[in-house]
Amino acid sequence: DRFLPSSVGRTLEELRREAVSHTRSVEWCLVDVQSGGAVALADRLTARWGPGVCYLEGVPWDGDQPPGLSAEAKDRIMGSSRIRLWWSDGDELDVDRMYESLRNGCVPFQAMTVGAGEILRRRLPPGLRDYVLPCGPDRTPSLPNADECDRLRRRAVGLVGVAAAEREILVDHG
């Protein structure tokens, strides 16, 4: 049984069982740091997808004082949600947030501007493209249904397992 990187902390088999068996009380959550893109995304998702849970962490000014909820509290938000989203102004898929989302049983989606999202989707392998959502004022994707979420979650768990195996090979034979 392959293990995911320690940041995930569950076996692939455990994640696969949860991907099939979980029913969630919340359709979606946006757990992210505060930014203009994240605030606009929260507004668009609420208008298009209906109610969800939104937590946008403040800027950490003091390293000794966390700017908001604890990691455990954020895990509880994700643990009750079917889908977890975050906003990105970058040009890469945020694998750490994918792991964090999957560890909590969520389908991970990285939302980006339409232009940046389309460019990233073209650069990614076909299996990862569905986890990037190009969004804009006139373009917000439809909410995936429960069957689609289950399919996407199972596939993401498989992709994470492959990535973990590749990392182990690189570390062992680097």
Side-chain angles (χ1 to χ4, degrees), residues 124-131 155 159:
L124 288 172
L128 289 174
R129 292 177 185 156
D130 289 340
Y131 302 98
R155 187 173 63 191
L159 292 168

Side-chain angles (χ1 to χ4, degrees), residues 4 8 10 14-32 49 52-53 71-86 94-110 130-131 133 143-160:
L4 298 176
V8 177
R10 295 189 192 173
E14 289 172 321
L15 286 169
R16 284 188 184 108
R17 278 196 306 271
E18 289 178 9
V20 174
S21 65
H22 268 158
T23 56
R24 302 294 177 112
S25 59
V26 177
E27 286 291 332
W28 64 273
C29 69
L30 174 62
V31 177
D32 201 354
W49 290 7
V53 174
E72 294 80 14
K74 290 184 273 188
D75 285 347
R76 283 191 293 276
I77 291 171
M78 287 183 268
S80 67
S81 303
R82 183 185 312 238
I83 295 168
R84 186 269 178 109
L85 302 105
W86 64 92
D94 190 330
V95 177
D96 290 335
R97 289 189 185 185
M98 281 192 77
Y99 288 150
E100 179 183 51
S101 302
L102 291 170
R103 184 190 73 225
N104 286 289
C106 296
V107 177
F109 286 118
Q110 177 170 305
D130 289 340
Y131 302 98
L133 295 181
L143 177 69
N145 65 35
D147 291 339
E148 180 71 2
C149 283
D150 287 342
R151 183 186 68 75
L152 288 166
R153 189 180 305 109
R154 282 192 303 272
R155 187 173 63 191
V157 167
L159 292 168
V160 166

Side-chain angles (χ1 to χ4, degrees), residues 27-44:
E27 286 291 332
W28 64 273
C29 69
L30 174 62
V31 177
D32 201 354
V33 294
Q34 184 176 332
S35 70
V39 169
L41 178 63
D43 182 49
R44 287 192 298 271

